[in-house]
Amino acid sequence: LFVYEKGTTRFFISDTRRRRLDATITWPIYDDHWHFISWQVRNGYDMTVSADDRRLVLKYNEREKTDQHEVWTAPLIMGASEKDGMLAHHFEGQVMDLKIWKG
């Protein structure tokens, strides 16, 4: 069970077998200023998150090695969370630029 705390941001992926890579950061990015956020997932097990070019400490809630897929078939949810098919905890800001690539 994940409890949302004020000021935390969750970074989460899950594969078709429900294995999860789930971590949060606590960093003041909700201050009405633009921030550059970088999130990288490597080998289905390691994540790095940076804000404004500063690498942040991740607090892992779950850390299971997830499957890697050549073709992404799962929904991509950004700015909200999903539980039992329902979206909640919606992000109330703006996204200026989004880049997704396979590296």
Side-chain angles (χ1 to χ4, degrees), residues 46-57:
D46 295 314
M47 287 195 291
T48 57
V49 176
S50 299
D52 301 324
D53 293 323
R54 181 177 181 167
R55 190 168 174 172
L56 304 178
V57 174

Side-chain angles (χ1 to χ4, degrees), residues 35-88:
H35 295 280
F36 175 76
I37 307 297
S38 171
W39 174 30
Q40 296 178 337
V41 179
R42 293 187 186 94
N43 67 27
Y45 188 73
D46 295 314
M47 287 195 291
T48 57
V49 176
S50 299
D52 301 324
D53 293 323
R54 181 177 181 167
R55 190 168 174 172
L56 304 178
V57 174
L58 290 165
K59 176 185 172 192
Y60 282 93
N61 303 302
E62 293 184 59
R63 195 171 187 190
E64 301 173 289
K65 185 166 177 55
T66 57
D67 287 337
Q68 299 179 64
H69 303 284
E70 290 298 316
V71 178
W72 189 267
T73 58
L76 176 62
I77 301 169
M78 295 187 65
S81 64
E82 181 272 334
K83 182 178 180 185
D84 301 326
M86 302 295 294
L87 294 178

